Amino acid sequence: MPTFSVTGDVDPFLHVSLKQGEKIYCESDAMVMMEATLDLKGKITGGIGSALMRRFANGESFFQQHIEAVRGEGDCLLSPTLPGAVQVIEVGARQYMLSDGAFVAATSGVELKVRTQSLGNALFAQSGGFFITETAGSGQVAVSGFGSMSQLEVTPGKDVVIDNSHVVCWDSSLHYEISVTTGGSGGGFLSNLVNSQTSGEGMVLRFSGSGKILVCSRNRDAFLSWTQRRAS
């Protein structure tokens, strides 16, 4: 199986080593460098329907890059679009849900499937709208987060509340739901929504069950708004 490793301290690369005949696929424009023994082709993975659903679910490009070691073993370097951390997760015993823009690359034994999610999560969470991406199969997946990345463990009876703009991926066995307030007080949805907007808390995701979550330190939408204000 291809070997994924992260190299570099600031805005790291994903370093991939392939033996002859092995292949990976990655997000469009992720390839930075590859040895001449490797071939790169742009493909529609899983057919047009699957590509369209992944586009809506995870903001991925319609075409993905497929890299194969055709003429012998070789290495390549990949990089995500946004600056920040890269982490490799093992898929098989555990499967994961991916937030918008988190996917970088995967070994050929991993499939990215698209499924629907609840109306509330679809409308308010930044996790793919009505569709969300879930891994299947076995192998390795590389994900990226804007800024630094940290791993959280969720255990039964100890729910975790996270600003949805900071969630990178999470164990698919976890239960999650959207919320507009971190407080424990009552109140209807509309009053909670108003409170969320006036307090600056924004939307949050509440996770329960048992599993792990990867979070990133930066909010890309807030950063984009800040740069636009500075430029105006």
Side-chain angles (χ1 to χ4, degrees), residues 18 27 41 47 65 92 115 117 123 132 136 151 153 188 193 211:
L18 300 97
E27 176 63 327
K41 296 180 180 179
Q65 294 180 332
R115 75 180 196 188
Q117 59 177 348
L123 292 177
I132 190 166
Q151 178 177 309
E153 289 288 343
L193 179 61

Side-chain angles (χ1 to χ4, degrees), residues 163-179:
D163 185 302
N164 63 329
S165 298
H166 293 267
V167 178
V168 176
C169 66
W170 64 94
D171 193 318
S172 61
S173 65
L174 288 170
H175 174 74
Y176 70 101
E177 59 184 13
I178 194 71
S179 176

Side-chain angles (χ1 to χ4, degrees), residues 5 30 53 60 62 66 80 91 114 121 124 143 150 162 192 197 201 207 211:
S5 59
M53 291 185 73
E60 294 178 33
F62 191 73
H66 289 241
V91 168
V114 178
N121 290 338
F124 296 108
V143 294
S150 181
I162 306 171
N192 286 340
Q197 296 304 310
E201 285 181 333
F207 293 91

Side-chain angles (χ1 to χ4, degrees), residues 18-176:
L18 300 97
K19 296 179 181 178
Q20 187 167 7
E22 292 181 335
K23 54 188 175 182
I24 64 166
Y25 62 97
C26 55
E27 176 63 327
S28 179
D29 297 327
M31 197 279 291
V32 176
M33 180 283 300
M34 68 180 190
E35 294 185 319
T37 53
L38 308 181
D39 272 0
L40 182 149
K41 296 180 180 179
K43 295 183 179 180
I44 302 175
T45 306
I48 295 178
S50 295
L52 282 171
M53 291 185 73
R54 285 195 306 272
R55 176 66 176 171
F56 288 125
N58 234 23
E60 294 178 33
S61 299
F62 191 73
F63 293 94
Q64 292 178 324
Q65 294 180 332
H66 289 241
I67 301 175
E68 182 175 0
V70 176
R71 290 170 292 279
E73 63 181 24
D75 292 1
C76 64
L77 291 175
L78 308 178
S79 179
T81 301
L82 290 175
V86 176
Q87 189 156 331
V88 179
I89 56 177
E90 296 288 338
V91 168
R94 289 183 173 185
Q95 301 296 341
Y96 293 87
M97 316 290 281
L98 306 182
S99 291
D100 295 352
F103 174 73
V104 178
T107 54
S108 58
V110 177
E111 180 185 358
L112 297 182
K113 302 173 68 176
V114 178
R115 75 180 196 188
T116 58
Q117 59 177 348
S118 68
L119 179 62
N121 290 338
L123 292 177
F124 296 108
Q126 294 179 336
S127 53
F130 287 101
F131 305 103
I132 190 166
T133 300
E134 181 179 12
T135 63
S138 62
Q140 292 184 316
V141 177
V143 294
S144 67
F146 187 25
S148 301
M149 206 181 309
S150 181
Q151 178 177 309
L152 306 176
E153 289 288 343
V154 181
T155 57
K158 293 186 177 180
D159 294 1
V160 174
V161 177
I162 306 171
D163 185 302
N164 63 329
S165 298
H166 293 267
V167 178
V168 176
C169 66
W170 64 94
D171 193 318
S172 61
S173 65
L174 288 170
H175 174 74
Y176 70 101

